[in-house]
């Protein structure tokens, strides 16, 4: 009953630095406020198709807020407001007549804290997005297997799909949440510190998952782990801001360049762990 | 070579010695108090219990301070004090229950649950006739009231906690004020509006409506608290999957709060199951069976008990107490049922 969902956008694969690619998602002069407190100012960021973009920056600079502006979660907070445009395949998601729910369907989100639906089994959790968004699809079994495999969880849970989703370990729950987001076939996946509560081996598993998904979905990930950003992302954006100054992008570029030869001394200081 | 393994213990746990010391302190306190009451003009059972208790606490403090040290002694005495408060509260409850059972059991007989007062004369013993018609009335009235007010109450709670509309504070204020309505006013309201103005007459339905007025604020506020317990992350996850707001409420928030909502409904039933005043003007009372709640006067267990106990005949008073006992059992059964429903649905 909502917008049709298409799988076949794989033909858009281009190297991220090839010039004329139309970005899948583009933020133009985005600003954000909570009440009268400005959190973000003039953010311009383009995410090319099938790339992984990492967002780094000190705590409180507005990284989560930026992600939430991208898929219209920001407006759920009472008193929140914003400025600028967010283009998904060239169309402003804040445009007239665009339903927030269809934007969120195309731009999925994985939260810092894993939160599977407690009343549902593992299988129902994976399929929950279809139910919630009112999408009809044949072959639920195949979809469940495909999503859990892509999230790197299939082998661990294939014998207990009927068990409650809450009965998994934290790392497994987070991968279940990733599988849940994949089932509705989003164009973009936003991840807000998805590994911050996880042990090294779950983290490695999820990083593998992100790298594999990065060839099919456009991913934006917020992380406090510099090594993680360097390992998994194609492009890195460094945000800076604090209580008194709204967050802005200090530097943005291909991850290898940003980490090896940063242009801005503040970027270098942050990467070296000298502040923030 | 190897020394004996360290003694296994539970820090703060009770040992045999502690039990003996406790019993000893209690016994000594009772004996000393008894002697004091015999030798001096002190008298009265309340004074006796109080003196013995204070003495017991003092002995316990002295003993545990000497044997176990100040920290554990303080903990022991505090535990005893808190335990006593709990026991006193429980004892009050137990006394009421015991009294009702004591007075009610003699009037109970098999026919009490099936027969009515139809052909019972003033000289018949309490074992004649029964409260079957009143049980039917209570079940129908409370059941209908729950059917009316549970959906309304949950909808109100959804409005207050999920939609948070602009007039939510006003609604909350009205719901809170409603919970202060004296029950007889709810009865009068339905009486003037439904029974008199609309010429519907007395009926079980009228009683159910009066009870629903009383139940609604309890259910709404309890359900609101339960919905507030649902983690915000679940709502956000549902919305982030592309769910419209209403589906995130019906598919995620309400199912997650299911057993809490059942509790809210139980609290509402508990609020009204024993109400008598509003029924006087709506169900009115009836000595014979009227199973149709939509028209005609109906009895209920609380009305039955009220009307029997006001009587002078011992047999009637006995029937009244039996009805009070049955009312307690019915409420207990309703509670158990609601708990089971919530539990099985969750386990599925
Ligand atoms: N719901 C809210 N209401 C008011 N202010 C908020 C709210 N959420 C966040 N803020 C403020 O917005 C600023 C940016 O918060 P945000 O969560 O985007 O930071 P962040 O970069 O994600 O930090 P972290 O790395 O610690 O997660 C902070 O100063 C924070 O205090
Ligand atoms: Mg954050």
């Amino acid at each position: 009953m909502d917008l049709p969902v298409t799988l076949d956008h794989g033909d858009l694969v281009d190297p991220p630095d090839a010039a004329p690619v139309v970005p899948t998602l583009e933020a133009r002069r985005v600003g954000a406020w909570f009440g009268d407190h400005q959190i973000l100012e003039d953010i311009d960021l383009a995410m090319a198709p099938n790339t992984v973009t990492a967002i780094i920056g000190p705590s409180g600079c507005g990284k989560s807020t930026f992600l939430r502006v991208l898929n219209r979660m920001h407006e759920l907070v009472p008193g929140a407001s914003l400025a600028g445009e967010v283009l998904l395949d060239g169309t402003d998601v804040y445009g007239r007549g665009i339903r927030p729910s269809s934007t969120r369907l195309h731009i999925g989100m994985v939260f810092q804290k894993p939160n599977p639906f407690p009343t549902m089994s593992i299988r129902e959790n994976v399929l929950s997005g279809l139910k919630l968004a009112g999408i009809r699809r044949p072959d639920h079994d195949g979809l469940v297997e495909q999503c859990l495999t892509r999230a790197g969880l299939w082998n661990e849970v294939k014998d207990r799909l009927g068990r409650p989703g809450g009965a998994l370990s934290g790392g497994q729950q987070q991968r279940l949440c990733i599988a849940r987001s994949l089932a509705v076939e989003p164009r973009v996946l936003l991840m807000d510190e998805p590994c911050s509560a996880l042990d090294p081996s779950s983290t490695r598993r999820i990083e593998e998952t992100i790298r594999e998904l990065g060839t099919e979905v456009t991913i934006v990930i917020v992380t406090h782990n510099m090594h993680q950003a360097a390992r998994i992302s194609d492009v890195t954006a460094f945000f800076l801001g604090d209580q008194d100054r709204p967050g802005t992008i200090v530097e943005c570029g291909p991850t290898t360049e940003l980490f090896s030869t940063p242009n801005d001394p503040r970027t270098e200081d942050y990467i070296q762990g000298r502040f923030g | 070579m190897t020394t004996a393994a360290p003694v296994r213990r539970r820090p703060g746990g009770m040992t045999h010695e502690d039990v003996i010391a406790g019993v000893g302190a209690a016994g000594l306190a009772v004996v000393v108090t008894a002697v004091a009451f015999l030798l001096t003009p002190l008298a009265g059972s309340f004074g006796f219990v109080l003196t013995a208790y204070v003495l017991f606490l003092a002995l316990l403090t002295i003993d545990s301070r000497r044997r176990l040290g100040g920290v554990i002694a303080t903990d022991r005495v505090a535990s005893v004090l808190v335990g006593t408060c709990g026991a006193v509260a429980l004892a009050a409850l137990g006394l009421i229950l015991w009294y009702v059972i004591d007075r009610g059991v003699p009037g109970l007989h098999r026919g009490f649950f099936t027969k009515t007062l139809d052909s019972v004369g003033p000289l018949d013993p309490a074992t004649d006739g029964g409260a079957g018609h009143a049980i039917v009335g209570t079940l129908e009235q409370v059941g209908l009231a729950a059917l009316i007010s549970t959906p309304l109450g949950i909808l109100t709670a959804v409005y207050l906690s999920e939609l948070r509309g602009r007039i939510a504070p006003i609604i909350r204020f009205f719901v809170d004020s409603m919970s202060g309505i004296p029950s007889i006013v709810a009865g009068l309201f339905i009486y003037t509006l439904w029974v008199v103005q609309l010429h519907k007459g007395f009926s079980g339905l009228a009683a159910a409506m009066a009870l629903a007025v009383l139940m609604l604020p309890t259910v709404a506020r309890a359900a609101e608290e339960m919905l507030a317990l649902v983690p915000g992350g679940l709502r956000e996850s549902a919305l982030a999957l592309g769910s419209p707001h209403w589906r995130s409420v019906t598919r995620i928030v309400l199912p997650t709060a299911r057993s809490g909502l059942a509790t809210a409904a139980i609290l509402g039933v508990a609020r009204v199951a024993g109400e008598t005043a509003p029924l006087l003007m709506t169900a009115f009372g009836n000595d014979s069976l009227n199973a149709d709640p939509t028209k005609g006067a109906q009895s209920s267990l609380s009305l039955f008990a009220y009307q029997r106990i006001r009587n002078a005949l011992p047999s009637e008073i006995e029937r009244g107490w039996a009805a009070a006992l049955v009312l307690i059992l019915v409420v207990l059964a309703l509670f158990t049922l609601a708990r089971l429903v919530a539990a099985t649905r969750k386990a599925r």
Side-chain angles (χ1 to χ4, degrees):
Chain A
M1 56 192 285
D2 274 313
L3 294 175
V5 185
T6 48
L7 236 191
D8 46 358
H9 41 264
D11 50 347
L12 287 168
V13 190
D14 273 293
D17 40 13
V21 172
V22 180
T24 305
L25 191 63
E26 184 176 3
R28 283 195 188 157
R29 308 208 56 190
V30 162
W33 289 259
F34 285 112
D36 291 331
H37 185 196
Q38 187 166 13
I39 307 297
L40 294 173
E41 188 175 15
D42 251 352
I43 306 277
D44 282 306
L45 189 60
M47 282 131 293
N50 306 330
T51 56
V52 177
T53 304
I55 296 180
I56 59 173
S59 183
C61 67
K63 307 179 294 294
S64 302
T65 308
F66 178 63
L67 281 198
R68 293 169 61 90
V69 169
L70 294 181
N71 75 338
R72 300 197 64 170
M73 296 293 283
H74 181 60
E75 67 206 60
L76 294 175
V77 179
S81 53
L82 59 97
E85 295 176 330
V86 175
L87 307 182
L88 175 66
D89 295 323
T91 314
D92 186 6
V93 302
Y94 286 99
R96 239 172 216 261
I98 305 268
R99 249 183 284 161
S101 59
S102 78
T103 297
R104 296 182 196 128
L105 181 64
H106 294 298
I107 309 180
M109 190 163 202
V110 175
F111 297 84
Q112 177 172 0
K113 217 175 126 235
N115 43 17
F117 298 127
T119 51
M120 300 183 184
S121 67
I122 293 174
R123 185 190 141 88
E124 287 168 331
N125 259 288
V126 175
L127 297 173
S128 60
L130 301 185
K131 291 234 178 68
L132 286 168
I135 303 170
R136 249 175 265 268
R137 257 201 62 147
D139 189 23
H140 280 181
D141 290 334
L143 183 68
V144 169
E145 176 170 355
Q146 183 206 342
C147 293
L148 285 171
T149 308
R150 286 165 82 194
L153 188 62
W154 174 249
N155 284 330
E156 286 156 75
V157 300
K158 61 176 178 240
D159 302 320
R160 44 172 174 161
L161 294 175
R163 295 270 299 282
L168 296 171
S169 78
Q172 292 170 331
Q173 287 187 16
Q174 190 63 298
R175 279 177 275 152
L176 177 60
C177 291
I178 293 174
R180 177 173 78 184
S181 309
L182 293 176
V184 293
E185 294 170 348
R187 304 271 286 112
V188 181
L189 194 56
L190 310 175
M191 304 176 115
D192 193 354
E193 300 180 48
C195 303
S196 67
L198 304 184
D199 69 307
S201 73
S202 300
T203 302
R204 186 153 35 81
R205 200 70 204 75
I206 288 181
E207 284 183 12
E208 282 167 20
T209 305
I210 292 171
R211 269 207 304 264
E212 285 159 22
L213 290 175
T215 59
E216 315 163 34
V217 183
T218 305
I219 293 179
V220 186
I221 179 171
V222 170
T223 177
H224 280 292
N225 183 334
M226 296 303 120
H227 299 290
Q228 184 172 63
R231 279 195 298 268
I232 60 176
S233 68
D234 304 305
V235 176
T236 300
F238 173 51
F239 278 52
L240 199 56
D242 56 33
Q243 208 52 35
D244 308 317
R245 272 162 305 164
T248 48
I249 294 188
V250 170
E251 191 169 350
C252 173
T255 300
T256 41
E257 285 173 29
L258 189 121
F259 275 92
S260 58
T261 52
N263 289 324
D264 196 298
R266 290 172 295 176
T267 314
E268 180 157 15
D269 285 349
Y270 183 74
I271 294 170
Q272 302 297 329
R274 280 199 282 271
F275 79 91
Chain B
M1 265 194 14
T2 51
T3 50
V7 179
R8 196 175 133 195
R9 66 188 192 281
R10 249 173 53 84
M14 295 269 279
T15 62
H16 282 300
E17 214 175 303
D18 292 339
V19 175
I20 294 168
V23 173
L28 193 61
V30 170
V31 171
V32 170
T33 315
V35 170
F37 270 56
L38 280 177
L39 297 183
T40 62
L42 290 172
S45 48
F46 181 72
F48 183 90
V49 171
L50 201 65
T51 317
Y53 183 70
V54 171
L55 206 59
F56 163 68
L57 274 187
L59 288 172
L60 193 72
T61 315
I62 294 167
D63 170 67
S64 26
R65 212 172 244 289
R66 207 171 42 78
R67 279 191 310 124
L68 309 165
V71 175
I72 299 183
T74 313
D75 178 58
R76 283 279 149 86
V77 173
S79 307
V80 169
L81 277 174
V82 172
T84 312
C85 293
V88 167
L90 261 183
L93 206 66
L95 266 176
I96 295 174
L97 209 61
W98 177 77
Y99 192 69
V100 175
I101 292 173
D102 186 53
R103 300 286 307 259
V105 166
L108 279 188
H109 54 97
R110 200 169 317 142
F112 191 80
F113 298 91
T114 51
K115 291 188 185 148
T116 66
L117 293 179
D118 265 342
S119 50
V120 178
L123 296 179
D124 289 332
T127 45
D128 273 7
H133 58 303
I135 296 175
V136 169
T138 287
L139 290 179
E140 285 183 355
Q141 289 155 24
V142 174
L144 278 174
L147 277 185
I148 298 170
S149 64
T150 305
L152 277 178
I154 290 178
L155 280 177
T156 311
V158 165
Y159 179 78
L160 291 180
S161 116
E162 301 302 312
L163 301 183
R164 302 217 186 120
R166 200 160 302 165
I167 58 167
I170 304 172
I171 302 275
R172 193 173 288 123
F173 175 77
F174 274 111
V175 170
D176 283 344
S177 320
M178 247 178 105
S179 63
I181 294 179
S183 58
I184 193 141
V185 173
L188 275 171
F189 170 62
I190 299 297
Y191 176 74
T192 38
L193 189 76
W194 184 262
V195 178
V196 177
Q197 290 277 331
L198 296 174
H199 305 291
K200 302 284 187 185
F202 298 119
S203 70
L205 183 63
M209 288 191 290
L211 294 181
V213 170
L214 294 170
M215 256 179 102
L216 184 62
T218 312
V219 177
R221 289 294 266 162
E224 190 195 351
E225 304 289 329
M226 298 304 168
L227 293 183
L229 290 179
V230 175
L234 293 182
R235 295 186 181 86
E236 292 213 324
S237 298
L239 294 175
L241 285 167
S243 166
H245 194 164
W246 65 270
R247 262 213 209 96
S248 82
V249 172
T250 54
R251 299 253 172 151
I252 304 297
V253 177
L254 291 181
T256 305
R258 189 182 277 144
S259 74
L261 295 176
T263 310
I266 297 174
L267 285 174
V269 168
R271 166 76 182 78
V272 300
E275 280 294 347
T276 319
L279 303 186
L280 285 169
M281 290 158 287
T282 49
F284 190 70
N286 192 340
D287 282 350
S288 7
L289 178 69
N290 171 15
D292 179 4
T294 56
K295 56 178 183 297
Q298 217 180 20
S299 188
S300 91
L301 279 167
S302 55
L303 273 181
F304 182 97
Y306 171 72
Q307 286 163 347
R308 290 316 113 207
I309 286 175
R310 276 157 52 93
N311 225 296
L313 296 167
S315 62
E316 287 284 71
I317 294 178
E318 205 167 292
R319 286 195 191 101
W321 280 106
L325 178 56
V326 172
L327 179 57
I328 290 181
L329 293 180
V330 167
V331 172
L332 194 72
L334 285 177
F335 277 25
T336 319
L337 191 75
R339 275 276 169 224
L340 284 179
V341 168
T344 48
R345 286 254 202 87
K346 203 176 177 188
R348 183 185 58 88

